[in-house]
Amino acid sequence: MNADRLPPVAPEVTATLVENLSPRLRKRLDAAVTKLGARTTRRDGDTVTIEVDDETELRLHAPGGVVATTDAITCGCLLAPACVHRAAAACAAPAADLAPELVDRPTGEVPDPVSVTDLAAASATAPASETDPASVTEGTSETDRTPVTAPASATDRTPVTDRAPTPALDSASSLEVASPDQRAAADALWSAGAAVLEAGVDGAGAVTQSALLRAAHTARLRQLPRASGAALSVVTLLRAARAGDPSYRTADLVTALAELLGTAHRVGTSSGAELSGVRGRARRPYSPDGSLRLYGLFTEPVVTDSGHGGVRTWVAGSDGRLFTVGDVAPGGVGRALGVADRAVRLGDSALTHRELGRAGLAVAGATVSPDGRLGAGKGVKAVTARGAAWTEPPLAALWETPPSEQAARALRSTSRYADPDGGGSDLLFLDVELLGAVRESGGSCLLARCAGGVPVRLTVADDDPALAHRDNVTLLAAAPGTRLRIIGRLVPAPHPRLTLLACSHPSGEGTVDLGFDRLRRADLPDPTAPVHPAPPRPGGSGAHSPLYLLERRVEQTVPAGRAALGMLGDVTAETRRIRRAGLPTAAGLLTALCASAARRDRDLFGRLLPADTDGFATHWLAAARYTAAVAESLCSAAWDPTQEGAR
């Protein structure tokens, strides 16, 4: 049984079912989840049935697509409803990321749980400026990774219970601070995240996950959607790791855990505008933007690991601002190929997505989300207009910004802990000369030289053979000396690196959407240009930084837990090497992290005391945030030829 075949289950439903199990059944829960995964399922309307055995069936009723109450999961076994099967089914199903209530409640008031039906009805009546209808389809495919920023003091986290009570504040004269209920919810999230670090992926079974789900649900009721979303991301990644999902990456779970712990910490230390950012937003609001004159840039396929597919078309305004029009829904790469030639859902325009990538639009009553997505509400009017070539204004100005400035801007938007309301784009617009293919540990990529002589590695955006990315990049690698105008997406690395999305046609006329349009050998110039004798290797201090010595210890904690890191022994040789590279803070963090992992105090009778999970989580969070910040700094420096020359 594939978990994707089960309907999503509300976090509070899973948490309640697990909490209601007896201690004996909780010990059997992980085995029951695995056993249930081998059973067949069938769907009949809103109900999914699992055959527990030849005589017993388990049913999940999901009106509106989500299992919203405990009564919606029923089992036919003799022990029901106190059986382990209901909890196992909830743990095997995806966690639903429900929208919070739309009505703010007074501080300290605990709202009653709301049903999915009520939320759907409330969302349906929300004004277009708050939630654009077009965002529902596209939003299902793109993970809403909510970044966090560094804790005010990663080494000094005061427990919520020890903090002084928050005095009543006059909103006109004092900065707003978190309510006691919000601080308590954040403390629960911190404890649940620290428990994951303590146990590691191997030990973070259904019971540990249910504690995270309960904390996420409480945080959402306390108007902390950002922290709640981070907790749900951790649960999703834990389940993927334990199921052996090939798309799972340890680095993703490291980022999600750091987001969760960092956000939970900052709830109690932030105030004013900073607190508003830490709380987050329930949904991406669409705000009116008047009339826009838009010029198409390119169209890219969107294919996610969750089985969604579609397209995203990028357009630019007359002032250089970037916007997107997307259509993403379940369907995979097949849907991406089909949707590209469907009409754009924006006003009265009859353009397809691929046509819009080369044409223009005049939009009246436009609505735009903070990340630049154009809304398609009823009040939006759009008609086809003339486009512009990449060499004509206003598009030509996108290529005039120095690469180092573009990289710094893109890095701010792709940072693991970027400001969620910071906006910006991760695209770079470069004029390059192709140098040829260069081999890497993971295969080969296309090397090019951009302004200032900076060597840039251009990689494939998607390896799916149904898309044209791989074939196009391979063909371009056989044409050294070719000069192109390109659009790529920044890949944070200690050397300049992009995924190649679009380029000017080698003939000099038109553009190429590298995911859809297939170049032919006849399109390339006569290969008489000399091959670059020795493609430059990425240099600079970042290319061979020993920062990975700290990064790998941070990552090793996630799969195996604190105890495994504590058994590594002496790390003096590693810290010495890090110090020689001029990174004394990294050396100190590594020493403190390993010492905290190995520390176990004893009582007067020599018995081991419980491990200090809070203290270890604090050291781990500081190390994770530091490595991310240094890696981003090295990436930014690699794009600056003046700094490269100075080194």
Side-chain angles (χ1 to χ4, degrees):
M1 179 185 69
N2 191 324
D4 292 337
R5 296 169 61 185
L6 297 179
V9 178
E12 65 272 21
V13 172
T14 303
T16 300
L17 291 174
V18 173
E19 291 164 359
N20 289 342
L21 292 177
S22 66
R24 178 179 64 85
L25 290 180
R26 288 190 189 186
K27 294 179 180 178
R28 297 171 50 189
L29 182 56
D30 288 328
V33 173
T34 303
K35 185 177 180 180
L36 207 63
R39 301 298 183 182
T40 57
T41 64
R42 65 176 184 273
R43 181 181 292 272
D44 182 12
D46 291 334
T47 301
V48 174
T49 302
I50 306 173
E51 296 180 0
V52 178
D53 54 41
D54 294 339
E55 300 178 354
T56 306
E57 290 184 340
L58 181 69
R59 291 185 175 87
L60 291 85
H61 184 52
V66 177
V67 178
T69 64
T70 56
D71 294 338
I73 303 180
T74 59
C75 183
C77 74
L78 296 177
L79 295 179
C83 63
V84 74
H85 303 132
R86 298 171 68 221
C91 292
D97 189 2
L98 302 180
E101 293 177 285
L102 300 179
V103 180
D104 292 334
R105 295 179 175 267
T107 301
E109 179 181 348
V110 181
D112 295 327
V114 291
S115 68
V116 177
T117 317
D118 295 335
L119 293 172
S123 297
T125 59
S129 61
E130 292 182 2
T131 306
D132 192 276
S135 69
V136 176
T137 302
E138 185 181 4
T140 57
S141 69
E142 297 176 2
T143 304
D144 241 351
R145 185 175 62 86
T146 312
V148 298
T149 51
S153 174
T155 57
D156 182 21
R157 181 179 184 276
T158 307
V160 169
T161 54
D162 294 339
R163 298 180 187 137
T166 303
L169 296 177
D170 182 1
S171 59
S173 59
S174 304
L175 292 176
E176 182 186 12
V177 297
S179 69
D181 284 343
Q182 288 178 329
R183 300 169 100 181
D187 193 60
L189 284 168
W190 174 278
S191 298
V196 172
L197 279 178
E198 174 69 19
V201 169
D202 295 339
V207 175
T208 301
Q209 294 168 25
S210 72
L212 264 174
L213 292 174
R214 172 62 69 191
H217 175 61
T218 302
R220 191 170 288 278
L221 293 180
R222 299 293 187 262
Q223 306 301 316
L224 298 174
R226 179 174 174 179
S228 177
L232 292 181
S233 296
V234 171
V235 172
T236 300
L237 290 167
L238 281 173
R239 290 177 175 177
R242 293 174 63 84
D245 189 332
S247 65
Y248 166 77
R249 298 291 182 270
T250 300
D252 294 337
L253 185 51
V254 169
T255 299
L257 273 170
E259 289 176 359
L260 170 61
L261 294 172
T263 305
H265 170 81
R266 294 183 63 216
V267 167
T269 61
S270 304
S271 61
E274 182 184 0
L275 176 61
S276 178
V278 171
R279 286 173 175 165
R281 292 180 176 177
R283 57 176 62 83
R284 296 174 178 176
Y286 279 70
S287 57
D289 206 342
S291 298
L292 296 174
R293 179 65 169 90
L294 304 175
Y295 300 85
L297 281 167
F298 72 100
T299 299
E300 64 171 322
V302 178
V303 182
T304 71
D305 294 329
S306 61
H308 291 73
V311 297
R312 183 188 297 112
T313 299
W314 289 82
V315 296
S318 55
D319 58 355
R321 284 189 298 161
L322 298 181
F323 305 92
T324 60
V325 182
D327 185 351
V328 182
V333 68
R335 187 178 189 278
L337 293 171
V339 170
D341 293 316
R342 292 184 189 174
V344 174
R345 295 182 299 173
L346 193 66
D348 301 323
S349 172
L351 293 173
T352 67
H353 278 274
R354 296 182 67 182
E355 289 172 344
L356 175 58
R358 295 173 173 85
L361 277 180
V363 183
T367 58
V368 184
S369 72
D371 60 355
R373 291 190 297 173
L374 290 169
K378 294 181 179 179
V380 179
K381 306 298 180 183
V383 295
T384 304
R386 177 186 176 277
W390 288 3
T391 55
E392 299 174 352
L395 298 185
L398 296 172
W399 279 265
E400 295 174 0
T401 304
S404 59
E405 294 182 20
Q406 293 192 52
R409 179 212 65 217
L411 194 59
R412 286 193 295 271
S413 70
T414 60
S415 170
R416 284 185 260 178
Y417 311 109
D419 180 357
D421 295 324
S425 164
D426 57 358
L427 299 184
L428 270 70
F429 303 84
L430 304 176
D431 289 307
V432 301
E433 177 188 0
L434 303 183
L435 301 178
V438 60
R439 290 192 174 276
E440 297 184 314
S441 57
S444 62
C445 65
L446 173 60
L447 191 68
R449 182 189 293 111
C450 68
V454 177
V456 182
R457 298 196 172 201
L458 307 176
T459 61
V460 175
D462 195 313
D463 264 319
D464 194 303
L467 300 175
H469 289 294
R470 171 60 66 184
D471 292 341
N472 285 334
V473 172
T474 300
L475 198 61
L476 290 173
T482 303
R483 294 182 180 274
L484 296 174
R485 179 159 278 193
I486 67 169
I487 302 176
R489 177 168 286 118
L490 178 71
V491 178
H495 53 267
R497 192 178 190 88
L498 300 176
T499 54
L500 193 55
L501 302 174
C503 69
S504 58
H505 197 281
S507 66
E509 297 182 1
T511 60
V512 180
D513 295 336
L514 292 170
F516 294 114
D517 303 326
R518 292 187 179 272
L519 290 170
R520 298 173 299 175
R521 193 167 296 277
D523 294 324
L524 301 179
D526 187 16
T528 57
V531 179
H532 197 284
R537 302 182 62 182
S541 59
H544 308 289
S545 169
L547 184 66
Y548 77 91
L549 296 172
L550 176 60
E551 289 177 327
R552 71 177 182 180
R553 299 307 183 196
V554 170
E555 290 197 1
Q556 282 175 346
T557 306
V558 172
R562 176 198 55 79
L565 188 64
M567 294 187 294
L568 292 177
D570 187 25
V571 292
T572 303
E574 295 180 9
T575 57
R576 187 182 300 116
R577 181 179 173 187
I578 294 174
R579 289 184 188 278
R580 283 201 300 264
L583 298 171
T585 302
L589 287 170
L590 177 58
T591 300
L593 177 64
C594 293
S596 178
R599 184 179 300 117
R600 288 295 302 273
D601 296 330
R602 296 179 180 272
D603 62 14
L604 295 175
F605 299 98
R607 295 171 297 194
L608 282 173
L609 295 173
D612 181 11
T613 56
D614 275 358
F616 177 72
T618 299
H619 287 294
W620 182 89
L621 174 61
R625 297 299 301 274
Y626 172 86
T627 55
V630 173
E632 290 164 7
S633 177
L634 292 174
C635 176
S636 179
W639 281 91
D640 191 339
T642 60
Q643 294 189 36
E644 201 67 28
R647 287 192 294 266

